[in-house]
Amino acid sequence: MTTLTMMSDVQVTERAERVVRIARKWQAAEDVLALELVDPAGGPLPEWEPGAHIDLVMPDGAARQYSLCGDPDDRHTWRVGVLLEKEGRGGSRWVHEGLAEGDLVPTRGPRNHFALEPARRYLFIGGGIGITPILPMVRAALGMGADLTVVYGGRTRESMGFVDELIELHAGVEVVPQSEAGLIDLERLLADPQPDTLIYCCGPGPLLDAVEQRVARWPAGALRIERFSARTDTELTSDADQAFEVELSRSGTVLQVPADQTLLSVLEDAGADVISSCAEGTCGSCETMVLAGDIDHRDSVLSESERAAGDRLMICVSRCRGPKLVLDL
């Protein structure tokens, strides 16, 4: 749901802005900064679970999403790791060059579309900055007494943040710097489906695509992934986009969504109470409940089972396959 009316406390927390102070900023690896965030008044921060991320809101109002990678039991500190993306949209450069210890920063969240589910065994695969959501998952899995295999790959050893912390958590972690050992051996890791095992993977798109291809023989639902950028197989050209209607159920308002406009932009133009962040279907902030209609899912957030349920969509990228959608707005 995307309005404050009838929202749960969790949904209000996800949506509301909260100002935090940068208590500490340090170099975690080459091109990777770590930030520790605290409440300016010294109070507790909202609870979170492994896999959650927060939005850092930039001065121009744009937001960037970063996975929480500290200890969920520490209610007074959030920690994020930020990779400098030199060809990115400017958010990481703002963090690296524009923020200093003591600065106040608006945030939103935490929000979690990558939650750790109970299992007897886990296989965790982190690539580059994708290790950040994996870190608290490893801590939680160990606390549950589960069996786990942890593999962490990166470009070079110097570019891989939090290695020492990960090894301290789990001495059996397999560290795979590409400059020394090549790519992660996915054939070995995923060749034989393992019962009662969940795979959690986060990292660059090519790694996630390769993992998805190799788990085809595994039981349905064994894989959980989180993407930092939109998946290419959901990017459709404007020629495939069709116009449709959207009805806002709470007011009865019916709006036209042209083929060359996103559902989000139409709702924003109409003054609907919606929120968005990434605008590419990766963060989940614009998730909206659907009451009727055939959804054309184009996000990189929802699982196959969530898509099949047909009760929610990401309004920044997804559309309608038929003539009309009815939204809980």
Side-chain angles (χ1 to χ4, degrees):
M1 297 174 65
T2 55
T3 69
L4 293 177
T5 306
M6 298 177 64
M7 272 189 167
S8 70
D9 290 343
V10 171
Q11 290 164 328
V12 171
T13 297
E14 289 182 356
R15 180 189 178 90
E17 283 197 3
R18 170 182 295 271
V19 174
V20 298
R21 179 173 61 85
I22 300 175
R24 186 182 173 211
K25 175 181 178 180
W26 73 97
Q27 200 78 32
E30 180 183 304
D31 289 335
V32 177
L33 279 180
L35 301 180
E36 283 187 358
L37 310 172
V38 299
D39 180 84
L45 295 169
E47 292 181 290
W48 60 280
E49 295 181 348
H53 69 262
I54 59 171
D55 295 350
L56 297 186
V57 182
M58 300 169 63
D60 64 0
R64 297 294 184 267
Q65 299 75 45
Y66 300 105
S67 297
L68 290 167
C69 61
D71 184 352
D73 291 333
D74 181 357
R75 290 295 312 281
H76 288 80
T77 306
W78 285 342
R79 185 181 70 179
V80 297
V82 181
L83 171 68
L84 177 61
E85 298 183 74
K86 298 173 183 177
E87 304 301 322
R89 296 177 293 166
S92 65
R93 189 169 296 279
W94 165 68
V95 173
H96 277 245
E97 301 175 2
L99 294 180
E101 291 182 358
D103 284 353
L104 299 178
V105 182
T107 65
R108 289 195 295 261
R111 184 180 305 110
N112 200 343
H113 286 277
F114 193 44
L116 184 68
E117 300 178 17
R120 290 180 56 191
R121 301 180 185 86
Y122 294 98
L123 170 57
F124 296 111
I125 304 173
I129 198 64
I131 199 62
T132 49
I134 299 296
L135 270 169
M137 290 185 177
V138 171
R139 179 179 280 109
L142 290 169
M144 288 187 270
D147 294 332
L148 62 158
T149 299
V150 186
V151 183
Y152 178 16
R155 182 172 48 84
T156 66
R157 191 174 295 271
E158 293 74 22
S159 70
M160 299 169 67
F162 311 107
V163 171
D164 292 342
E165 178 179 340
L166 189 58
I167 293 174
E168 185 176 342
L169 275 175
H170 181 59
V173 62
E174 183 179 345
V175 179
V176 189
Q178 185 177 348
S179 61
E180 302 173 20
L183 298 174
I184 295 172
D185 188 353
L186 298 178
E187 292 293 347
R188 172 179 58 83
L189 290 171
L190 302 171
D192 299 318
Q194 301 296 317
D196 304 318
T197 301
L198 290 181
I199 305 164
Y200 281 81
C201 182
C202 184
L207 171 64
L208 304 185
D209 293 342
V211 170
E212 283 187 318
Q213 292 170 6
R214 287 166 174 79
V215 298
R217 300 184 301 273
W218 284 62
L223 176 63
R224 309 285 189 276
I225 64 173
E226 182 172 60
R227 292 180 180 268
F228 293 139
S229 59
R231 52 188 302 160
T232 56
D233 60 359
T234 61
E235 292 174 354
L236 302 179
T237 66
S238 58
D239 292 338
D241 295 339
Q242 303 294 323
F244 61 96
E245 289 184 345
V246 58
E247 179 181 339
L248 312 187
S249 67
R250 300 183 190 180
S251 65
T253 302
V254 176
L255 304 171
Q256 304 297 319
V257 182
D260 61 352
Q261 245 185 298
T262 66
L263 177 54
L264 172 63
S265 66
V266 169
L267 293 171
E268 288 179 329
D269 290 345
D273 187 15
V274 296
I275 190 170
S276 69
S277 181
C278 72
E280 57 181 21
T282 59
C283 75
S285 63
C286 69
E287 181 177 335
T288 302
M289 303 308 293
V290 178
L291 303 180
D294 187 5
I295 305 168
D296 180 5
H297 289 290
R298 302 185 183 187
D299 66 274
S300 302
V301 177
L302 298 177
S303 67
E304 290 304 316
S305 61
E306 288 171 328
R307 291 185 176 202
D311 61 356
R312 68 195 68 189
L313 86 169
M314 305 301 157
I315 57 176
C316 66
V317 292
S318 297
R319 301 182 66 84
C320 181
R321 295 188 187 278
K324 184 176 181 179
L325 285 177
V326 181
L327 303 182
D328 186 16
L329 291 174

